[in-house]
Amino acid sequence: MAELPDLEDAWLVIIDAQRIFADASSEWGSPMFDAALPQMKSLRSGFGADRTILTRWLPGTDREGSWGAYFERWPFADRPTTDPLFDLVGPAAGWSTRGTVDRTTFGKWGETLTRVTGDRPTLVLAGVSTDCCVISTALPAVDAGATVVVAADACAGSSEDDHAAALRVMGLYAPQIVVADSAEVLAAR
């Protein structure tokens, strides 16, 4: 069992539980999403709607610098932010009383999130993709002094190998980042 920090006042952040990452026909669809969704739901039940924050990645309009090449590589995602592809998956709708934190960056840590959680919160991260938006949220959060627990089985990677690699990297940041499973997190609440 992982040595977890105090989770009494922790926030659950479910990262990008969106159709674009869940749909198997999407170029970004995670083959792990369906297996991670029940753990996300279990965590949400344990934390409640008032302590759960949902995020969404949106493409925005910035095509300067590396974003230009990025959207040339992934033109299917270069759509208006109102496109249904960016909607939360059906089961996640209503999981939070706080709406969604929408960002045009991979990482979701920032002013919008800290307005809710405070500057140095304890966060439990779940969602997709482990090897992109989850790790991109975890690292700047711990740099800012947050404590992060990654619920590994409630995360979905772009592949099993990439998921495992991201978890290994985040595990190197202990004790600032702790990798655990959702049952351990819920038992510690």
Side-chain angles (χ1 to χ4, degrees):
M1 183 170 198
E3 186 173 333
L4 294 171
D6 181 3
L7 298 178
E8 184 178 340
D9 294 323
W11 291 89
L12 174 62
V13 181
I14 299 177
I15 299 170
D16 303 351
Q18 296 169 260
R19 293 175 55 193
I20 191 169
F21 304 114
D23 187 341
S25 67
S26 168
E27 290 182 61
W28 289 346
S30 169
M32 301 174 67
F33 191 89
D34 289 341
L37 189 61
Q39 281 68 247
M40 290 181 221
K41 183 178 181 181
S42 178
L43 286 168
R44 189 287 187 190
S45 294
F47 277 78
D50 289 340
R51 296 299 286 188
T52 300
I53 300 167
L54 292 154
T55 72
R56 293 188 313 151
W57 177 84
L58 297 175
T61 58
D62 182 5
R63 301 298 177 265
E64 298 298 316
S66 65
W67 286 111
Y70 186 82
F71 283 104
E72 284 178 23
R73 167 67 178 90
W74 302 106
F76 88 99
D78 196 1
R79 302 171 182 227
T81 59
T82 56
D83 191 292
L85 194 60
F86 303 117
D87 291 347
L88 294 173
V89 295
W95 278 1
S96 177
T97 59
R98 302 174 181 285
T100 59
V101 171
D102 297 339
R103 299 277 313 252
T104 60
T105 57
F106 301 133
K108 303 310 183 278
W109 180 256
E111 184 180 328
T112 306
L113 195 55
T114 60
R115 253 187 261 128
V116 176
T117 66
D119 290 336
R120 291 186 171 82
T122 298
L123 306 175
V124 174
L125 302 183
V128 64
S129 111
T130 319
D131 45 305
C132 185
C133 296
V134 174
I135 196 171
S136 294
T137 301
L139 295 179
V142 298
D143 272 350
T147 300
V148 173
V149 175
V150 177
D153 60 340
C155 292
S158 57
S159 71
E160 291 278 349
D161 288 344
D162 292 339
H163 171 76
L167 293 174
R168 270 192 306 278
V169 168
M170 288 186 282
L172 296 172
Y173 288 82
Q176 291 174 294
I177 299 175
V178 177
V179 178
D181 65 35
S182 56
E184 291 172 308
V185 170
L186 292 170
R189 290 235 348 127

